[in-house]
Amino acid sequence: MPNHLPVPAATNGYTNGTNHQSPPSIAVSISPTTPSTLHGVFRQKSLSSFTSAIRPSKVLHPVASGELRLLLLENISQGAVKILKDQGFQVDWFPKAWTEDELIQKIGQYHAIGIRSKTKITEKVLKAATKLLTIGCFCIGTNQVDLLTAAKAGIPVFNSPFSNSRSVAELVIAEIISLSRQLTDRTQEMRQGVWNKVSKGCWEVRGKTLGIVGYGHIGSQLSVLAEAFGMRVLFYDVINIMPLGSARQVESLDKLLENSDFVTLHVPELPETTGMMGVKQFEKMRKGSYLINNARGKVVDIPALIDALKSGQLAGAAIDVFPSEPGANGPHFNDQLNSWATELRSLPNIIMTPHIGGSTEEAQEAIGQEVAQALTRYLDYGSTVGAVNFPEVDLRAIAADEKHFVRVCHVHANQPGVLRQVNEILASHNVEKQFSDSKGEIAYLMADIADVSEEDIESIRDRINRTRANIITRLLA
């Protein structure tokens, strides 16, 4: 375990090897499972209602009293605020992103933070977050968080990979039609009092080919919508995926570019996707075709795109994401932020939007619920299901009639001999259930122990804290 990064302090009962304070008292909900099939979803719902009537779930509390404080930035939905407050958390809500300096100054008082895409959780911020237990990204992407450093500090990061997929897919359909009919240019001309009724260069989308780069949750939904408009759909992905409808997977990006009238990007920002659309790729595209990017700003070489638009190789483009984006609303999208901003704005048939792909009331409400519930599950009873940088571990709920139980939540370095050490500590107790998993350098163990006294709890906590691989340990009872 690297020594340069401090482990989160054990304030309010979340302990590590050097700090043995005990956790706060808050009410919690039962631990859900995550079924992987549709049948599993229905089975979970039916079993949940059946078992809760027979054996109600035990409400867990951290071992000692206290209050968890959560920070929500970037106008996160009030639905999320309500969910978290209903669980007994203290929630501080702010409409704007915070800078790195603001975070370093203030984050030390918070146990969890919720952000969207503008707030950056860097290594410096994590070093200052001495109480931080978890991070919630109320969006799809997590590249605004230093995931590896967070994991090494014992901090799981949760996001919402599905909830805004429909909103983004619908925006792409709107952009396809707007580009093909030059609607932004005609609208701007009418605002200036110019009547310019033309049909040259305007097309129906029926019968045209849409090329989707990245056939995940957004790409696959978009595929279905596009076919409903009579479009032919091709897609390229790094893995083989069963297509929906009549869509067809192609073997290479070049093949897709050469055969598509519209190309839309739906990929994460990774080293291999940064700059994936540049001079050579635009040359491969059909003359007079269109590019749409609602993925990540750095996947497109914008100066190369400008050249392709000026030359007529491309007939238009829709861009919702940019390499550098303002931290707040206002007149900030300028050449100081991106050196080519004025030139891009001056081009015809360009749709530029301020990263609004998932900005609908429905998407934000769904994202708020999904991420708030994930944070609650972790803070309340240790579940890391859905964490992007952490082993996914969960245990079934403790029944209300099961007395004198304690749940051990032990984050530790992934080293040989840790389970042996922990099991030796627990050997004199009845371990009802236990689950451990690892991911990279981090491992996570959960165990429910029966028939333990207050003295036993103190002993278990202190002995686990003294183990060499301990990062952070929480006890819930």
Side-chain angles (χ1 to χ4, degrees):
M1 181 67 193
N3 294 322
H4 69 277
L5 181 70
V7 174
T11 306
N12 291 316
Y14 300 96
T15 59
N16 57 38
T18 60
N19 192 327
H20 298 166
Q21 299 177 27
S22 48
S25 177
I26 52 174
V28 302
S29 55
I30 65 169
S31 173
T33 58
T34 305
S36 58
T37 66
L38 185 61
H39 292 88
V41 172
F42 286 110
R43 183 175 183 273
Q44 180 193 36
K45 290 181 178 179
S46 61
L47 282 177
S48 175
S49 59
F50 178 73
T51 57
S52 63
I54 300 174
R55 300 187 72 193
S57 301
K58 181 182 178 67
V59 178
L60 295 178
H61 299 269
V63 171
S65 61
E67 185 173 46
L68 292 183
R69 192 171 181 186
L70 279 62
L71 173 64
L72 299 183
L73 301 176
E74 301 187 62
N75 202 31
I76 288 170
S77 77
Q78 290 301 309
V81 175
K82 183 178 186 304
I83 289 171
L84 295 168
K85 285 186 174 180
D86 286 349
Q87 290 297 319
F89 303 132
Q90 180 181 337
V91 179
D92 293 340
W93 180 94
F94 296 89
K96 296 182 179 180
W98 283 7
T99 65
E100 183 179 65
D101 288 341
E102 289 175 311
L103 287 166
I104 290 171
Q105 182 181 359
K106 300 176 183 178
I107 199 171
Q109 60 189 309
Y110 293 102
H111 302 91
I113 183 172
I115 61 173
R116 293 179 70 187
S117 57
K118 294 177 182 176
T119 302
K120 310 301 180 186
I121 308 296
T122 63
E123 181 175 353
K124 290 181 179 179
V125 172
L126 290 167
K127 285 182 178 180
T130 53
K131 296 181 182 178
L132 197 66
L133 297 171
T134 183
I135 298 169
C137 295
F138 286 72
C139 51
I140 291 179
T142 56
N143 57 302
Q144 68 275 39
V145 178
D146 185 336
L147 296 176
L148 180 59
T149 300
K152 289 179 178 179
I155 302 171
V157 178
F158 300 92
N159 70 333
S160 177
F162 318 122
S163 295
N164 69 357
S165 302
R166 178 70 181 202
S167 295
V168 178
E170 288 185 2
L171 178 62
V172 175
I173 291 294
E175 290 168 336
I176 290 170
I177 295 172
S178 296
L179 289 171
S180 66
R181 298 297 297 273
Q182 301 176 11
L183 292 184
T184 53
D185 289 358
R186 299 295 86 78
T187 298
Q188 184 63 28
E189 290 162 354
M190 288 293 288
R191 289 181 179 276
Q192 297 170 355
V194 177
W195 185 272
N196 185 22
K197 183 178 179 179
V198 296
S199 60
K200 184 178 181 180
C202 298
W203 312 93
E204 292 182 354
V205 300
R206 178 180 56 176
K208 305 303 185 294
T209 299
L210 173 63
I212 301 173
V213 182
Y215 201 70
H217 302 292
I218 296 171
S220 56
Q221 286 200 50
L222 174 60
S223 170
V224 174
L225 294 176
E227 287 195 345
F229 278 83
M231 300 187 77
R232 173 174 173 254
V233 177
L234 303 176
F235 69 91
Y236 169 71
D237 204 293
V238 293
I239 60 174
N240 291 325
I241 301 175
M242 190 175 102
L244 300 179
S246 300
R248 181 168 63 88
Q249 185 167 8
V250 295
E251 63 272 17
S252 68
L253 177 60
D254 285 351
K255 189 75 170 178
L256 180 138
L257 299 177
E258 293 166 356
N259 290 279
S260 299
D261 300 300
F262 297 84
V263 173
T264 179
L265 308 177
H266 302 283
V267 296
E269 182 181 309
L270 301 169
E272 53 266 36
T273 61
T274 299
M276 68 180 296
M277 291 299 296
V279 174
K280 292 182 179 180
Q281 288 72 35
F282 293 132
E283 290 175 350
K284 291 281 186 180
M285 291 178 68
R286 287 180 173 178
K287 187 174 180 61
S289 58
Y290 306 86
L291 177 74
I292 299 170
N293 183 20
N294 290 283
R296 286 291 179 263
K298 292 182 180 179
V299 304
V300 174
D301 181 344
I302 299 293
L305 172 63
I306 291 172
D307 291 341
L309 291 163
K310 283 184 171 181
S311 70
Q313 175 67 12
L314 269 61
I319 308 295
D320 185 52
V321 289
F322 301 89
S324 296
E325 298 179 352
N329 292 341
H332 310 304
F333 190 77
N334 50 42
D335 290 351
Q336 284 70 46
L337 187 69
N338 294 294
S339 61
W340 36 256
T342 298
E343 189 174 14
L344 183 64
R345 292 201 307 263
S346 69
L347 296 175
N349 209 22
I350 291 291
I351 300 172
M352 300 171 64
T353 47
H355 204 151
I356 59 169
S359 296
T360 62
E361 296 285 354
E362 295 90 345
Q364 291 308 306
E365 187 66 24
I367 289 170
Q369 291 180 6
E370 183 177 357
V371 180
Q373 289 168 358
L375 294 177
T376 296
R377 287 194 299 269
Y378 180 69
L379 293 172
D380 283 352
Y381 46 85
S383 172
T384 55
V385 172
V388 299
N389 67 330
F390 227 68
E392 294 190 70
V393 177
D394 196 10
L395 290 179
R396 70 180 183 270
I398 299 172
D401 59 355
E402 294 177 316
K403 306 297 183 182
H404 307 296
F405 269 72
V406 64
R407 173 164 290 181
V408 177
C409 304
H410 176 47
V411 184
H412 59 90
N414 186 16
Q415 298 175 356
V418 173
L419 291 182
R420 177 181 56 79
Q421 285 183 307
V422 173
N423 285 328
E424 286 176 355
I425 294 170
L426 304 179
S428 60
H429 304 281
N430 182 19
V431 179
E432 288 284 335
K433 46 189 179 288
Q434 184 183 79
F435 183 26
S436 178
D437 198 3
S438 62
K439 186 173 185 177
E441 299 180 23
I442 303 302
Y444 184 42
L445 176 144
M446 293 177 66
D448 285 349
I449 309 165
D451 302 322
V452 289
S453 65
E454 291 185 9
E455 293 77 12
D456 292 331
I457 292 174
E458 293 291 335
S459 174
I460 290 169
R461 181 178 59 200
D462 291 344
R463 292 177 66 188
I464 293 178
N465 285 335
R466 288 195 297 267
T467 58
R468 181 170 53 89
N470 181 65
I471 296 176
I472 187 168
T473 298
R474 300 188 297 148
L475 271 67
L476 305 173

